[in-house]
Amino acid sequence: MPERLTEMLMDTWTPLIILWITVLPSVYMAPMNQSQVLPSGSSTGLKRLSEELRVLNRSKRGWVWNQMFVLEEFSGPEPILVGQLHTDLDPGSSKIKYILSGDGAGTIFVINDKTGDIHAMKRLDREEKAEYTLTAQAVDRDTNKPLEPPSEFIIKVQDINDNAPEFVDGPYHATVPEMSVVGTFVTKVTATDADDPVYGNSAKLVYSILEGQPYFSIEPHTAIIKTALPNMDREAKEEYFVVIQAKDMGGHMGGLSGTTTVTITLTDVNDNPPKFAQSLYHFSVMEDVALGEPIGRVKANDLDIEENAMSSYDIIEGDGMDIFEITTDAQTQDGIIRVRKPLDFETKKSYTLKVEAANIHIDPRFISGGPFKDTATVKIVVEDADEPPVFSSPTYLLEVHENAAINSVIGQVAAHDPDVSSSPIRFSIDRHTDLERQFNINAEDGKITLATPLDRETNMWHNITIVATETRNHSQVSRVPVTIKVLDFASEHEAFLCENGKPGQVIQIVSAVDKDDPKNGHYFLYSLLPEMVNNPNFTIKKNEDNTLSILAKHNGFSRQKQEVYLLPIIISDSGNPPMSSTSTLTIRVCGCSSDGIVQSCNVEAYVLPIGLSMGALIAILACIILLLVIVVLFVTLRRHKNEPLIIKDDEDVRENIIRYDDEGGGEEDTEAFDIATLQNPDGINGFLPRKDIKPDLQFMPRQGLAPVPNGVDVDEFINVRLHEADNDPTAPPYDSIQIYGYEGRGSAAGSLSSLESSASDSDQNFDYLSEWGPRFKRLGELYSVGESDKET
């Protein structure tokens, strides 16, 4: 309250201070003899000022004060003094009368006509009217003659901070996308203050947030609201209630304030993938469901809304991709599974599909968050339905000769119940399609028989409908159309030709029957089709008895080249108009005996006269091939076992040691032992296992011999190795030591083997080795050792 009073006093005395600062320096420049019109906030001060102006006695007035101020909203027990009008012509007597006219004169503003004091009679509101324009005049009280010309001045209503800020457009509603970065613009609010925006800080507004932190912030001077937290999720909280305050006086203490609310809604972005409510769906469907009929729905829920939640469904895997399809319900965003092709419980009883739901509209900003899709498994069970019988063919075409006998079988239809619990079928003829009852059908096996004679000339075609009905359920009925063609005549249409026949031999005699009864008797004309006139194999001959003979043109017919020949024959009668028909004669090439008796017309029998079928022959050949494969494998394995156990490196050229029971191939032997051990005994530090066996026991290696500096004691080396071989528990039970002294065939030194000598070791004399040169000197010394030395 003290701060408010101080503020009001400041607003009241500010015009007076301005008056004294502005007017006093000009007083001494005003004329002394010229009358003045001076409003004043204080009568004492203005009178003193008037006396000083008279003393100066200036001849010219240099200023006119034409503006007064009055404080708004001032109320007190007495009218407020606005100012005083005064002229220097007034000697202080009551001869001068002051008159006030203009805005509010006499009602709002009242002047004392004697003293010139102007008072405000009512409380003024600057926001209602900010200034008043008045006219002041001094006249002689007695004569009413003007002593001064009229002077216009303005009374301004001085503003005080009596109006709080208002949000005219509030409350506000705004939206901002979820997951927006900090500082994203949301909206801007505006508050208005009715106080004077020019004078003081009464209309200087500062904005702040009272509620809504820490999610949003507001610029203090521009009132722009922005986001203050990152990654605000609409799915967690969609709507925020924010309270904004506007405070005048620059936000300082004592200022008036106003508030408004801003409801901020987070708009959706596609930051969530679709998710199936369950990973496995089960549906069942009857096998007789209509195509395009929905059999089930799946739903992938998306936390997003509107177009961001729109998904498309597809079948990406499964054994029923061509049987089922899935579409999207635009209203519910469900995936509707429909049947594309007919189902058959007896063929397949269940299907498994893999269904995928994927967002249609992808936001690139969130694509790194993962695939915006999900999958689920759908299992569909097909249930059995009672289906009607199924015919073996959708239509049937039968042929019957017009001279066929009554009750003769002209054809047969077949149908079965496709259900697992198969029901017997009964057949019948729809008599609406056979009004003359020319045909009958066996209810059990479907054989169609002739009930009445046929006449080709009367009706060449008959169309009937056969009905198949389940005996267990008479409501399950199927129908099939049967077309019956009536042929002109009946004759044997198959002939046989012997392979050993002769040219000109009669193959078949053809006769014709015409039920018409011409006056001059029957006379038939026979001919071949125009394209068959020059047939290279057969010809025709008209007989005197109105028949036709078929003759062979050459011999040498073979079943291997061609088994069957077809010969179309045109038969015409002599009626008017002539009637004709075409009959095809089937000629089979057969094997015959020497006297022309047909024995066999089968090509397979020709190939296999012993009675074996082609399948049996193929089985025999397969067995032979299998035996051959087994023999080849056995031989290959035997060869593999006979290969040498020690692998020889062909690029290592060295002396060869071969088996002692074979004279070998000299230097070219390819099955030699590696004698690297003999050539480099210094490098042997222990036992080397054999390469041709896998020891069952571990043999401890022997410590190597100390290396000999200037030579190698081969005899001792061999004896040691022989001793090790004899005592090796992992060695085979045979002696596999080899002979190392074989030079091979063709050597100039001859054979060093003692096997070719009939003498004993004691009779051998190896002194001649010394004559072969220094290379054989050491060898001669070894073999020249006496018996006593050997024992030692």
Side-chain angles (χ1 to χ4, degrees), residues 213-281:
Q213 294 175 330
Y215 305 103
F216 301 96
S217 63
I218 188 170
E219 291 287 342
H221 302 291
T222 62
I224 295 176
I225 301 175
K226 299 180 180 180
T227 58
L229 279 182
N231 301 327
M232 287 190 290
D233 191 1
R234 184 198 67 84
E235 289 73 34
K237 185 176 181 180
E238 183 176 5
E239 192 172 83
Y240 294 83
F241 189 75
V242 181
V243 178
I244 304 297
Q245 181 191 65
K247 189 174 184 180
D248 59 14
M249 298 300 293
H252 296 299
M253 184 177 296
L256 303 179
S257 64
T259 61
T260 188
T261 59
V262 182
T263 302
I264 301 176
T265 303
L266 298 183
T267 58
D268 186 57
V269 298
N270 192 11
D271 60 337
N272 292 282
K275 187 70 176 177
F276 280 103
Q278 55 195 79
S279 60
L280 180 63
Y281 292 85

Side-chain angles (χ1 to χ4, degrees), residues 299-317:
K299 179 64 178 291
N301 299 314
D302 196 321
L303 297 178
D304 300 319
I305 58 176
E306 297 178 352
E307 67 174 13
N308 295 323
M310 296 176 62
S311 299
S312 62
Y313 295 87
D314 290 297
I315 299 175
I316 58 175
E317 290 181 13

Side-chain angles (χ1 to χ4, degrees), residues 559-560 599-612:
R559 283 174 288 174
Q560 297 300 310
Q599 293 181 338
S600 175
C601 299
N602 195 335
V603 177
E604 186 173 284
Y606 177 85
V607 177
L608 303 172
I610 61 175
L612 291 177

